[in-house]
Amino acid sequence: MLKLNSPAKINLFLRVVGKRSDGFHELSSLFQAIDLMDVLTFEKSHEDRLTCTDPTLPTNQNNLVLKALNLFRQKTGIHFYPNIHLDKRIPAEAGLGGGSSNAATTLWACNQLTGQNVPLETLQAWSAEIGSDIPFFFSCGTAHCTGRGEIVKNLNPLPSPKIHIVKPEGGLSTPAVYGKVNLNSYKDFDVQDFISGKIHPFNDLEQPAFEIRPELKNLKLKLQAGGFDTVLMSGSGSSFFCLGEGQFIPDSSFKVYKTSFILRLKDNCWY
Ligand code: C5P
């Protein structure tokens, strides 16, 4: 049996650099893993079985866990049929990469349990075939991601501020948010300018998300009134992260998760 943490991510900045001929958008984004984590348990068996604590999530081939398992079998040619249990804690459709993280964790687990010794870089390259955000989770936990998100460059760890994740009711569809991006408004910049503090956290997907769900803009204003240093949507939403000290005005329309940055410390260990 193998039990593994599967962390969420936030995007400390997300710049949409352009639109590609394959329909995807070219990005420049600083991804950071956080210790809001699902837990996945894998057991060798004779047939695939996926169970999940969240009854609203599909446990069929649409789940990225099973897509990753199939990808591993297809690439290695190995016959491997595990029972997998997903203890879901990361909110879905939140821009926190929960499904992508689960897929990366599954590829890692398959490699461990079958003793295939596929190099980490190879697992990472394979993972891009089933989702743009998955390769990030094979990084050290802090990375600059470009291309459609799948080109991952490890960065030195950043000091963790206090972080609260705020998840409003209802999610957002990633393709719908990308569909509203106004490509003329954004300019590329140097990552070092962000790291040195010259550029503050921002997300080019926030405005398009507000066009789809205008009430999210009101939520952002409400959170900003709590005094946090930064309040920003993560990825394509609908969650926000609040950095630094601040207060929440009690509201039953969202859930709050207290968290911090985490790192993947060694190449031969998972989170
Ligand atoms: O790669 P992934 O399956 O996560 O992408 C989901 C959808 O999000 C894509 O089909 C595309 O509409 C949009 N997307 C995009 N540009 C990216 C990543 C995702 O337009 N860089």
Side-chain angles (χ1 to χ4, degrees):
M1 196 186 84
L2 185 60
K3 199 172 178 176
L4 294 174
N5 290 322
S6 180
K9 60 84 180 162
I10 55 173
N11 302 84
L12 291 173
F13 70 76
L14 193 157
R15 175 108 298 178
V16 180
V17 181
K19 185 156 184 196
R20 307 164 19 148
S21 54
D22 61 5
F24 282 86
H25 291 77
E26 197 73 16
L27 302 183
S28 169
S29 181
L30 203 166
F31 279 58
Q32 174 62 56
I34 55 172
D35 75 354
L36 172 59
M37 303 199 270
D38 293 338
V39 180
L40 278 153
T41 312
F42 301 85
E43 253 176 303
K44 285 184 184 176
S45 179
H46 302 292
E47 55 176 358
D48 298 344
R49 200 165 85 103
L50 174 62
T51 53
C52 180
T53 49
D54 181 347
T56 65
L57 292 182
T59 48
N60 58 21
Q61 297 298 326
N62 290 326
N63 194 304
L64 275 167
V65 167
L66 294 186
K67 286 189 186 172
L69 172 63
N70 285 330
L71 180 74
F72 188 82
R73 284 194 293 232
Q74 177 210 319
K75 295 286 188 189
T76 57
I78 200 161
H79 297 277
F80 174 58
Y81 303 95
N83 283 348
I84 306 174
H85 181 67
L86 171 55
D87 185 352
K88 205 38 155 166
R89 299 169 189 183
I90 306 170
E93 286 203 334
L96 297 171
S100 301
S101 173
N102 296 165
T105 306
T106 301
L107 286 171
W108 173 272
C110 289
N111 203 28
Q112 295 292 309
L113 286 170
T114 60
Q116 287 289 292
N117 290 321
V118 178
L120 187 89
E121 294 73 22
T122 307
L123 292 176
Q124 187 177 41
W126 291 351
S127 75
E129 294 180 23
I130 54 170
S132 310
D133 285 354
I134 306 173
F136 160 72
F137 291 97
F138 293 93
S139 75
C140 297
T142 307
H144 181 219
C145 300
T146 53
R148 59 185 165 83
E150 90 287 14
I151 302 169
V152 179
K153 188 173 165 253
N154 278 317
L155 295 177
N156 288 330
L158 298 170
S160 183
K162 271 193 179 174
I163 312 172
H164 289 91
I165 301 289
V166 172
K167 173 63 178 63
E169 280 162 9
L172 273 165
S173 144
T174 303
V177 174
Y178 273 104
K180 293 270 181 198
V181 167
N182 176 1
L183 283 167
N184 296 325
S185 38
Y186 311 131
K187 292 243 162 17
D188 203 2
F189 68 97
D190 189 341
V191 181
Q192 284 311 319
D193 284 347
F194 181 84
I195 290 173
S196 66
K198 275 191 218 152
I199 294 173
H200 295 292
F202 67 89
N203 181 354
D204 288 341
L205 297 179
E206 199 176 58
Q207 211 46 51
F210 291 164
E211 274 180 48
I212 298 171
R213 288 190 55 191
E215 73 276 18
L216 293 176
K217 169 104 198 211
N218 296 336
L219 174 58
K220 174 163 173 153
L221 293 172
K222 226 188 225 183
L223 295 170
Q224 281 174 324
F228 296 99
D229 298 338
T230 297
V231 177
L232 192 69
M233 183 167 276
S234 183
S236 58
S238 60
S239 73
F240 291 89
F241 58 87
C242 305
L243 303 182
E245 300 288 345
Q247 280 188 334
F248 293 101
I249 294 126
D251 191 324
S252 59
S253 71
F254 57 80
K255 279 195 177 152
V256 179
Y257 305 81
K258 198 173 169 205
T259 183
S260 57
F261 294 174
I262 55 159
L263 298 172
R264 198 173 61 77
L265 289 171
K266 287 191 202 145
D267 252 10
N268 57 354
C269 288
W270 200 240
Y271 293 90

